[in-house]
Amino acid sequence: MTVQTLTPAETTALPVRVPLVTRPLGLLASLGAARENLLSIIPEIAVKQPMVSGKTGMRWHMVMDPGALRRVLLERTEDYPKSRATKNLLRPAIGNSLFVAEGADWRWQRRTVAPVFTHRNVSALAPVMSAAAGRACDRIAGAGPRAVDMMDEMTRATFDVIAEVTFSGGGTGFERDTVHRAIDGYMAAAGRVSLFDMLGVPDWIPRPGRVLSGPAMVRMRQVADEAIEARRARGPAGVPDLLDLLLAGTDPESGRRMDTAGLRDNLLTFIVAGHETTALTLAWSLYLCAFDPAVQEAAAEEARTVLGGRLAGADDVPKLEQVRRVVDEALRLYPPAAMVSRTARVKDELGGREVRAGDTVILPIYALHRNRLLWEDADAFRPDRFLDRKAIDRYAYLPFGDGPRICIGASFAVQEAVIILATLLSRFRFRAVPGRDPKPVMILTLRPEGGVWLEAEAR
């Protein structure tokens, strides 16, 4: 597989993207390319067709057709479970939580957790997000005229949010630094998602360089257990946080409550997934705003008008329409979960193509969001394409997945991203640093390799 070479005309006025490939690779070359960046194995034809199939040791199908995606994610979801390798990759950090569980185990957890993320509960957590946005502004202002890595800044801001809304109370019984270090270590140790994982290759075949657990991960789980027990003994104080809500939660069908292990696994899921994905969304949004100053100024003017110099809050989110469109377009161009895989349990047909039991079904969200059959000027940064959301096919835009397993924290993530981005844009003008464009690379999530280095000028 060779890397697609883009002509100068094709690279003009387009934000950074992953070079896709124009002809098949052999197995060894595919493994090497995937080790560097899993998205680099996507064939260029995947952004021009609804489905691509092949065999790289095992049969696989890349699905970009909205109808077929609806079948996989909504209509026949139990026939397309998450691949075993994906579960094994995540289980050391998040156990048998909602994200990993299947069948009846997943259903009761989902019923128990769903009330936690009601609009009312998510809105009540907005002041924590606003405070984190204010602290981020102070840090950026304190950096002076030098460039700042906004990926680092946004990771810090969103970790502050998720730590506070998960274990509020000043960190009593909760070692934030320990958890943060463990998450960073896990991301590095788990490394780049292997092509073996996506193709469903048996677990006993080693993935080079991967170590999924260690002392930091063990300590993180201990810290979470201790915090849960301390909260159970103490009880809630003030506005209920996520842990309070989970401790009070019951399955409406069985009356079952989560034990400490279940609470820990789901809280760590929210921590690991919650801050990472929102930080990425914000970092890519700021990169795109610096890339297109006209869009940035329009969104900033809206933010200044709505906020009037104060921090953004939950009531402002519906009014920040342009800021929200920037977030939506960042999620389209750089979806955090840029590629996921399922394993077909039974024989089926997708897009008129035969799928056999055991086949790997790959959902390359990155290619779906840039598919020419679904999006005009697919590689361009055009937030106004979201002016009429009803005109967009529901299964052409899947930053949070869909169906019964849609990301349960989607509304939390969007509210947080809009609040923080609006606050930043109202106070700073961001400019790109020449020669320091980020490189989109998938390492569990779609990250900006090299960081997002921007200069921030106070407005």
Side-chain angles (χ1 to χ4, degrees):
M1 196 183 293
T2 57
V3 174
Q4 176 190 17
T5 301
L6 302 175
T7 67
E10 289 177 300
T11 59
T12 301
L14 290 174
V16 294
R17 49 188 163 155
V18 177
L20 305 183
V21 295
T22 55
R23 62 183 178 85
L25 277 178
L27 178 60
L28 291 178
S30 294
L31 291 172
R35 182 67 182 161
E36 293 301 313
N37 184 359
L38 186 61
L39 297 184
S40 69
I41 69 166
I42 297 176
E44 194 268 342
I45 198 173
V47 298
K48 299 176 181 177
Q49 292 194 5
M51 193 164 169
V52 179
S53 299
K55 187 173 184 180
T56 311
M58 302 182 69
R59 283 168 50 93
W60 55 265
H61 311 276
M62 285 189 180
V63 182
M64 289 70 60
D65 174 65
L69 288 166
R70 177 184 175 88
R71 185 171 180 84
V72 171
L73 295 173
L74 178 65
E75 297 168 355
R76 300 280 293 275
T77 182
E78 295 204 0
D79 289 337
Y80 292 96
K82 293 184 179 181
S83 68
R84 185 177 63 253
T86 298
K87 297 173 190 175
N88 290 344
L89 181 69
L90 297 170
R91 194 169 276 122
I94 60 176
N96 195 42
S97 68
L98 186 66
F99 191 84
V100 173
E102 297 281 358
D105 190 24
W106 171 81
R107 284 191 289 273
W108 91 266
Q109 288 192 59
R110 182 79 181 202
R111 290 193 300 264
T112 303
V113 171
V116 172
F117 290 94
T118 62
H119 176 74
R120 178 181 178 181
N121 287 339
V122 170
S123 295
L125 299 173
V128 177
M129 302 170 184
S130 301
R135 291 192 294 272
C137 288
D138 292 343
R139 289 193 300 270
I140 293 167
R146 65 181 178 84
V148 175
D149 182 358
M150 296 307 299
M151 183 65 225
D152 279 351
E153 280 296 335
M154 294 303 94
T155 298
R156 181 172 176 180
T158 60
F159 185 79
D160 284 350
V161 170
I162 202 67
E164 183 63 28
V165 304
T166 305
F167 296 107
S168 63
T172 302
F174 174 60
E175 303 167 19
R176 294 190 183 197
D177 289 344
T178 296
V179 174
H180 204 176
R181 286 196 302 272
I183 292 172
D184 287 345
Y186 173 72
M187 292 291 185
R192 303 170 192 270
V193 179
S194 171
L195 182 61
F196 285 173
D197 298 325
M198 301 305 299
L199 295 178
V201 172
D203 303 334
W204 55 265
I205 296 179
R207 276 56 167 172
R210 178 177 295 168
V211 179
L212 293 180
S213 192
M217 187 62 59
V218 171
R219 180 56 188 154
M220 181 176 80
R221 295 169 73 82
Q222 290 174 343
V223 165
D225 286 348
E226 291 164 5
I228 290 165
E229 292 300 335
R231 180 67 59 83
R232 186 178 272 126
R234 186 198 81 189
V239 176
D241 63 14
L242 294 185
L243 178 52
D244 293 326
L245 294 168
L246 278 176
L247 279 165
T250 60
D251 175 8
E253 292 190 10
S254 67
R256 182 179 177 184
R257 290 177 179 267
M258 288 188 181
D259 59 14
T260 298
L263 288 166
R264 172 237 299 147
D265 289 346
N266 279 289
L267 282 170
L268 292 180
T269 296
F270 303 150
I271 292 172
V272 172
H275 94 284
E276 166 82 1
T277 55
T278 310
L280 289 168
T281 301
L282 283 163
W284 285 118
S285 294
L286 289 166
Y287 159 73
L288 290 166
C289 283
F291 172 82
D292 191 329
V295 168
Q296 178 178 180
E297 289 308 307
E301 180 60 29
E302 176 188 74
R304 290 197 301 271
T305 300
V306 170
L307 302 182
R310 58 182 172 77
L311 297 171
D315 291 342
D316 300 312
V317 173
K319 305 170 190 174
L320 294 164
E321 298 176 354
Q322 292 187 66
V323 175
R324 169 66 189 272
R325 291 197 292 273
V326 170
V327 169
D328 288 339
E329 182 72 338
L331 285 167
R332 184 186 72 85
L333 289 170
Y334 308 106
M339 184 184 290
V340 295
S341 66
R342 299 287 188 269
T343 301
R345 293 179 56 192
V346 297
K347 182 178 179 181
D348 196 15
E349 183 178 290
L350 293 175
R353 194 166 301 185
E354 179 193 35
V355 175
R356 301 174 189 169
D359 284 2
T360 295
V361 177
I362 301 172
L363 283 55
I365 307 302
Y366 182 87
L368 171 73
H369 286 181
R370 294 170 182 260
N371 193 282
R372 274 67 170 152
L373 301 176
L374 304 170
W375 302 93
E376 182 180 350
D377 296 333
D379 287 322
F381 174 50
R382 289 176 43 190
D384 283 352
R385 68 176 83 241
F386 288 94
L387 275 168
D388 182 6
R389 296 171 191 277
K390 293 181 180 178
I392 298 173
D393 190 305
R394 179 67 192 87
Y395 286 85
Y397 181 67
L398 297 171
F400 299 106
D402 200 69
R405 298 200 72 135
I406 190 171
C407 174
I408 201 167
S411 61
F412 179 99
V414 169
Q415 175 179 288
E416 181 182 11
V418 171
I419 285 175
I420 295 177
L421 183 61
T423 301
L424 291 173
L425 291 178
S426 71
R427 300 193 179 188
F428 299 98
R429 180 175 291 107
F430 294 94
R431 296 190 180 91
V433 177
R436 300 204 71 169
D437 284 346
K439 178 182 177 183
V441 173
M442 184 172 175
I443 308 176
L444 294 183
T445 50
L446 181 52
R447 292 180 158 195
E449 188 174 83
V452 176
W453 289 90
L454 302 176
E455 295 175 350
E457 174 191 355
R459 292 185 182 274

